Amino acid sequence: MRRPKPVYLSQLEEVEILWPGDVRMLAEFVLRAHDAKDQQTNLQNPGARTRSRTTLHGLAGQFAQITWLPKEQIETIFLAHGFNLGSVVEFD
């Protein structure tokens, strides 16, 4: 089974849940937080090459947790934009 293509931050620019750019902003925060945590993990474990990323499904869950909106509502918006919920979110 093939992996879905990644979704880049620039592709999330037009996705709006509560205000323009909100999804992209959260996605960038999550990516930067993962990179910071991975850097610490890799420094503590010589030879480790941890590189964490979230999927759109995971991002929908994080957005739902922060806003108290139903995750299914957010996922429906992602699907309406033509995204695969299994796609990994990545920097451009």
Side-chain angles (χ1 to χ4, degrees):
M1 190 167 157
R2 288 179 40 191
R3 287 185 183 173
K5 291 182 180 181
V7 172
Y8 296 100
L9 289 178
S10 62
Q11 293 175 273
L12 296 174
E13 195 68 43
E14 300 300 317
V15 181
E16 178 180 332
I17 308 291
L18 297 173
W19 70 83
D22 58 354
V23 173
R24 188 201 182 284
M25 289 174 68
L26 178 61
E28 183 174 355
F29 175 84
V30 170
L31 287 176
R32 289 182 185 279
H34 282 207
D35 283 354
K37 179 65 174 145
D38 291 346
Q39 184 178 14
Q40 287 180 347
T41 300
N42 292 338
L43 286 173
Q44 294 172 0
N45 301 301
R49 294 290 172 250
T50 301
R51 186 168 178 267
S52 305
R53 289 295 181 254
T54 191
T55 62
L56 281 177
H57 175 75
L59 187 64
Q62 292 162 328
F63 201 100
Q65 185 176 18
I66 291 169
T67 62
W68 302 287
L69 293 172
K71 180 175 66 171
E72 296 77 17
Q73 177 183 343
I74 298 161
E75 289 177 339
T76 298
I77 293 170
F78 288 168
L79 292 171
H81 281 271
F83 296 123
N84 182 321
L85 297 176
S87 293
V88 171
V89 180
E90 187 58 81
F91 289 107
D92 289 61

